[in-house]
Amino acid sequence: MTERPAEEDFLRQADPFRRELLAHCYRMLGSVHDAEDLVQETYLRAWKSYEKFEGRSSLRTWLYRIATRVCLTALESRGKRPLPTGLGGPGAQAGDELIEQPEVPWLEPVPDALVGAEQADPASIVTSRETVRLALIAALQHLPPRQRAVLILRDVLQWRAAEVAKVLGTTTTAVNSILQRAKAQLAEATPHEEDMVEPSAAEQRELLDRYVSAFERKDIAAIVDLFTKDAVWEMPPFIGWYRGPENIARLIDTQCPAEGPGDMRLIPTWANGQPAFGLYMREGDVYRPFNLPVLTLSKSGVTHVAAFFDTTLFAKFGLPEVLSR
């Protein structure tokens, strides 16, 4: 029987881990574009050294070690990727001037299909929706890279402290200390559990249907009714963020270029384990990409929207370049 060439054998064994490695790199970097590049770098490094792989750990663990080191090296020359709420400034009012900062490396959403977050299997812990939630990814950006790596490896991947210490070239005592500091800092940046109660499937469908209807009609009164009293709206690369239903609705009323019913169309998708839409704006006889809102829902309504104005994301989500009327 002819043996497989080393390259073919490597790809056959390593390819099944690609999506979860992308999720891992995304958690570390906060960018789907950067994560894809670093997964490619991980596979290139792994392939080059595959013949030296002695099987002392599983191939999956070995790939995660390489990916983590690749991410930490990349983070040495890159700053954190915030959302506007993470910049430390106060909330804005709808009448304030819109200030755009395209030079900021903003946090990016990730399509569920790329990281396996659409899977319902509760055993798929490394690609479960909870581990790629937008609020968690935004909070992770506040951690120094090594703290970020330790928290992800220990709490998401459930690695032992000794395994993490080997990746980082440190001691188990140091890993446990780093994890404790990371958890304390993360607790300050993430919502409380009671604020994260999600609606049932039927309630979610009803709320999302109302959301689409309100926006496609540009019905300001209906938009007010969608949001909880402390809801937040933000839209990178604009640095302002807006709290409260009336403030959010007034922003959409005065700043959104849609003039009335029929000027916007919303195509449903999923990002970070959360409902999202490709929002298109009418331009002559067609609709073109405008922004990509990612929604956080509670039983009381929409609690948060991050509307990403980077229209290059539409291709990542498999959304059309243009819609006909």
Side-chain angles (χ1 to χ4, degrees):
M1 182 176 178
T2 304
E3 293 185 357
R4 291 176 179 267
E7 180 179 359
E8 185 179 347
D9 186 58
F10 168 72
L11 291 175
R12 178 180 59 82
Q13 295 196 59
D15 264 356
F17 304 113
R18 190 174 291 272
R19 286 207 301 181
E20 62 179 86
L21 287 169
L22 180 62
H24 179 58
C25 292
Y26 173 72
R27 293 183 196 102
M28 288 290 294
L29 276 295
S31 163
V32 63
H33 292 92
D34 288 353
E36 287 181 325
D37 289 344
L38 294 180
V39 168
Q40 287 299 104
E41 176 67 18
T42 296
Y43 273 77
L44 179 60
R45 292 191 184 188
W47 174 71
K48 287 181 176 179
S49 55
Y50 182 59
E51 291 185 350
K52 300 177 184 177
F53 174 57
E54 298 176 347
R56 293 178 181 176
S57 64
S58 69
L59 180 65
R60 177 174 173 269
T61 298
W62 184 62
L63 289 170
Y64 268 102
R65 287 174 181 164
I66 296 171
T68 301
R69 289 166 180 157
V70 166
C71 288
L72 289 172
T73 298
L75 286 167
E76 291 175 0
S77 58
R78 307 180 199 193
K80 69 177 183 179
R81 285 183 170 269
L83 287 173
T85 46
L87 296 178
Q93 295 301 310
D96 295 347
E97 178 187 2
L98 291 181
I99 300 174
E100 185 176 2
Q101 288 194 1
E103 69 278 5
V104 173
W106 295 103
L107 185 70
E108 296 173 356
V110 67
D112 280 16
L114 285 186
V115 295
E118 83 282 11
Q119 296 179 0
D121 180 8
S124 302
I125 187 168
V126 296
T127 51
S128 65
R129 292 181 173 185
E130 289 73 17
T131 67
V132 290
R133 292 289 191 189
L134 201 60
L136 173 62
I137 303 302
L140 286 172
Q141 294 297 302
H142 293 277
L143 299 179
R146 282 170 68 86
Q147 283 190 22
R148 204 179 306 176
V150 167
L151 189 135
I152 292 169
L153 292 172
R154 290 284 282 125
D155 278 15
V156 176
L157 299 178
Q158 302 292 308
W159 281 26
R160 298 189 302 273
E163 293 177 299
V164 179
K166 185 174 182 180
V167 173
L168 300 181
T170 187
T171 65
T172 56
T173 301
V175 165
N176 291 330
S177 177
I178 292 170
L179 179 62
Q180 188 175 13
R181 293 197 302 273
K183 284 184 173 181
Q185 190 165 342
L186 197 68
E188 296 178 2
T190 51
H192 296 295
E193 189 173 346
E194 60 266 23
D195 298 330
M196 298 294 288
V197 178
E198 295 186 2
S200 67
E203 291 169 333
Q204 177 173 278
R205 284 194 300 270
E206 188 271 337
L207 179 55
L208 293 176
D209 287 345
R210 286 171 50 209
Y211 189 95
V212 171
S213 176
F215 274 81
E216 291 191 339
R217 291 183 290 115
K218 202 180 180 183
D219 184 336
I220 301 305
I223 288 172
V224 170
D225 289 341
L226 293 169
F227 292 94
T228 61
K229 62 183 179 66
D230 292 321
V232 169
W233 178 285
E234 50 191 333
M235 47 186 190
F238 300 97
I239 64 173
W241 59 276
Y242 308 83
R243 185 185 296 277
E246 291 79 13
N247 195 28
I248 293 169
R250 190 164 62 252
L251 173 77
I252 295 161
D253 186 25
T254 58
Q255 301 287 3
C256 176
E259 296 179 355
D263 283 351
M264 288 185 278
R265 284 183 61 186
L266 281 74
I267 304 298
T269 186
W270 284 84
N272 297 80
Q274 301 169 228
F277 297 95
L279 191 153
Y280 293 76
M281 195 69 63
R282 185 160 64 181
E283 187 178 304
D285 292 332
V286 298
Y287 291 85
R288 298 196 182 278
F290 186 66
N291 66 34
L292 201 152
V294 180
L295 281 60
T296 304
L297 309 180
S298 74
K299 285 184 173 292
S300 303
V302 180
T303 63
H304 182 267
V305 173
F308 296 90
F309 276 78
D310 179 2
T311 55
T312 66
L313 291 166
F314 277 57
K316 294 291 183 189
F317 282 82
L319 292 165
E321 293 182 8
V322 64
L323 298 176
S324 58
R325 289 185 61 179

